[in-house]
Amino acid sequence: MTQQKTTTDKSSALGIIELLKADHEKVKALFYEFEETKENGSSKKKEKIVKQICEELTLHALAEESIVYPAAREVINDDDLVDEAEVEHAGAKELISQLQSMNADDSHYDAKVTVLREYIEHHVKEEEKNMFPKLAKSKINGSEMVEEVEHFKENHKGHESKKSSKKNS
Ligand SMILES: [Fe+2]
Ligand SMILES: [Fe+2]
């Protein structure tokens, strides 16, 4: 009977990992779409995809930093791993903020998208190969965390668009 409980705990930890991995896949698909558009798409289309990439990544990173990483710090006992992930987020955010104030025709636009993709590919690999397996083995309450992350994203999405419309007015 106690064995059954352990199985339930484990699968609930997997819930949050699946959610984060689904975000990773979504962004990967957007980067792929950008690559396809880069060749013969319009500047407007490129900007639209990059805007989506930046929004998805910002929300995902903020949710990880506010909810997932603090929990990871407690349960996996590997501060270096979490510190490195936070530094990688900071590097990505710098490029995101540059891209958000650029037009597709600006110099180095495509290069910045490519470097951001490379940063993210590396970072996602670190999370999926090193951090998530450790989280999966831990006793985190994954299903509670799924709800927290979803709420966080919902609240932040509204907040972000309000902020940018304020900035424009
Ligand atoms: Fe992630
Ligand atoms: Fe991350």
Side-chain angles (χ1 to χ4, degrees):
M1 269 180 225
T2 37
Q3 263 177 341
Q4 267 178 345
K5 255 191 180 169
T6 315
T7 318
T8 316
D9 286 349
K10 259 194 173 176
S11 63
S12 72
L14 293 179
I16 184 67
I17 293 167
E18 268 167 33
L19 179 83
L20 298 173
K21 278 187 174 175
D23 280 355
H24 293 168
E25 288 305 312
K26 205 191 290 172
V27 173
K28 196 172 156 190
L30 284 168
F31 275 121
Y32 182 77
E33 207 185 313
F34 181 83
E35 279 306 305
E36 300 237 295
T37 310
K38 204 168 84 175
E39 304 308 321
N40 39 30
S42 67
S43 297
K44 219 175 160 189
K45 178 90 198 282
K46 282 163 73 173
E47 283 165 13
K48 198 182 154 210
I49 299 167
V50 169
K51 188 171 178 258
Q52 266 180 286
I53 290 173
C54 292
E55 282 171 2
E56 288 290 340
L57 283 177
T58 302
L59 269 182
H60 178 86
L62 284 176
E64 281 183 339
E65 285 163 22
S66 318
I67 297 154
V68 185
Y69 289 179
R73 226 177 251 287
E74 275 181 42
V75 296
I76 66 177
N77 201 20
D78 189 343
D79 278 336
D80 286 351
L81 190 67
V82 185
D83 286 350
E84 282 163 27
E86 284 171 348
V87 173
E88 285 165 3
H89 276 196
K93 274 184 204 160
E94 174 56 34
L95 271 180
I96 288 169
S97 90
Q98 289 180 27
L99 280 166
Q100 279 174 327
S101 60
M102 286 173 83
N103 301 312
D105 300 322
D106 289 346
S107 152
H108 294 77
Y109 186 84
D110 288 356
K112 285 183 186 191
V113 179
T114 302
V115 173
L116 178 62
R117 196 193 71 212
E118 288 166 355
Y119 271 5
I120 297 302
E121 276 171 0
H122 167 83
H123 177 71
V124 160
K125 210 164 143 190
E126 291 286 323
E127 284 185 339
E128 294 189 1
K129 300 260 183 294
N130 295 323
M131 190 189 288
F132 294 174
K134 288 182 181 176
L135 270 183
K137 281 186 208 147
S138 76
K139 293 279 181 195
I140 55 159
N141 188 333
S143 48
E144 202 177 277
M145 217 183 272
V146 166
E147 273 180 41
E148 275 182 72
V149 166
E150 280 169 350
H151 272 129
F152 182 93
K153 282 183 161 188
E154 222 28 70
N155 291 337
H156 226 85
K157 222 183 263 174
H159 184 67
E160 282 294 292
S161 53
K162 258 181 236 158
K163 225 172 46 184
S164 48
S165 58
K166 243 187 209 168
K167 223 190 282 168
N168 291 338
S169 62

